[in-house]
Amino acid sequence: MSWEPLKYLSDAGLSRLRENVVDNLPSYLDGDFSELSENSEWSLVLSDASIDPSEFCRLDPSGTPEAEIENSRIVWGALKGLNPSLACQEGIWARITHVEGLEYTRSRWLKKDSDQQTLLKSINKHFFAKGLNGRRDDNAIARLWWNAYIANQMLPGTGLEALPAILRKADIRLSFIERSLTASRPKLAAGVVRAINKYDWLSAKEENFRKFMKELNQKGGGVMFEVIDEVEVDIFMLNCAQSAGMENQEFSGV
């Protein structure tokens, strides 16, 4: 891999970029931002973080569930030294979507035959990262990093094996992002992932998973998951699922 210091946009550069979206439409649709990116406002350096620009050409803009999983792995591997605190800086993600991740972001989120209002809405949503939702859910590259971060928190050292489970439904992803305590308790998180993989009912409807997590929160407050074995964790998950409304499901072992 070819590592370079991770650069980000200054607040002033970010404001100018946001103000000039209409003027820059040709660059968003068919061109690039190479001239602008040479400006010092685009070149502030995060000394503790690195990026491998070559990895971003591997991103798949098809939008399929399989692409979302693989793209999350690629972005996770292409950014080194990031943490949730740094990942809250809009200037990081706005620069990546306009430089290293431009082709992917354009192909994934912009339809050239759309009217101007639709294009502007998509650009402001997916090329920038304003606010919590913007950083976590909307920016084309940031959302992929957050997918991988949560998967790594849930099942550390497993090569992001939790990604397919947490990306099965948007509500499942959001639940794990908003419930950092669950994601930071590996045995509990692993049990939830196994339950999602085992019981289709949990991801059949977003309402089902919300009910399941409500039961888990109510029943699991005093449970020391760290000291009980996997089978006991799975039985607990089954009980929560059944209390949430899942019927005709029996525990069949790990």
Side-chain angles (χ1 to χ4, degrees), residues 51-205:
I51 186 172
D52 182 353
S54 65
E55 287 292 285
F56 291 86
C57 67
R58 297 175 53 213
L59 295 175
D60 179 355
S62 65
T64 65
E66 294 77 16
E68 182 85 348
I69 291 170
E70 183 57 26
N71 289 344
S72 298
R73 295 182 186 277
I74 291 170
V75 169
W76 182 253
L79 294 169
K80 184 169 61 176
L82 268 187
N83 57 48
S85 179
L86 289 175
C88 286
Q89 295 189 35
E90 183 182 8
I92 294 173
W93 304 116
R95 188 187 191 282
I96 293 177
T97 53
H98 286 81
V99 182
E100 295 88 356
L102 173 60
E103 190 56 46
Y104 163 76
T105 306
R106 171 165 51 209
S107 299
R108 174 69 177 89
W109 295 109
L110 298 186
K111 296 182 179 179
K112 295 182 180 180
D113 57 353
S114 299
D115 60 77
Q116 181 169 303
Q117 184 177 359
T118 299
L119 286 170
L120 294 178
K121 183 178 179 180
S122 294
I123 289 168
N124 281 304
K125 184 173 184 179
H126 299 295
F127 280 81
F128 295 89
K130 189 175 182 179
L132 176 61
N133 290 342
R135 295 188 296 267
R136 191 182 64 187
D137 305 324
D138 297 331
N139 179 274
I141 304 298
R143 63 166 288 108
L144 299 172
W145 185 88
W146 279 105
N147 291 344
Y149 173 77
I150 294 299
N152 187 62
Q153 287 289 101
M154 290 174 63
L155 300 180
T158 63
L160 305 180
E161 288 183 6
L163 272 173
I166 68 172
L167 295 180
R168 190 166 298 180
K169 293 281 186 180
D171 200 56
I172 293 176
R173 176 187 185 272
L174 185 59
S175 291
F176 282 122
I177 287 178
E178 292 183 340
R179 292 178 172 87
S180 58
L181 180 59
T182 301
S184 65
R185 299 179 69 183
K187 291 194 72 172
L188 171 59
V192 175
V193 170
R194 289 194 300 275
I196 293 170
N197 290 334
K198 186 178 296 183
Y199 305 123
D200 292 338
W201 180 87
L202 290 179
S203 56
K205 297 179 181 179

Side-chain angles (χ1 to χ4, degrees), residues 7-10 13 17 24 27 32-44 94-100 102:
K7 298 176 182 178
Y8 64 100
L9 269 162
S10 70
L17 186 62
N24 289 329
S27 296
D32 60 44
F33 294 84
S34 55
E35 289 188 15
L36 284 175
S37 65
E38 294 177 0
N39 189 296
S40 60
E41 293 180 337
W42 287 60
S43 303
L44 303 182
R95 188 187 191 282
I96 293 177
T97 53
H98 286 81
V99 182
E100 295 88 356
L102 173 60

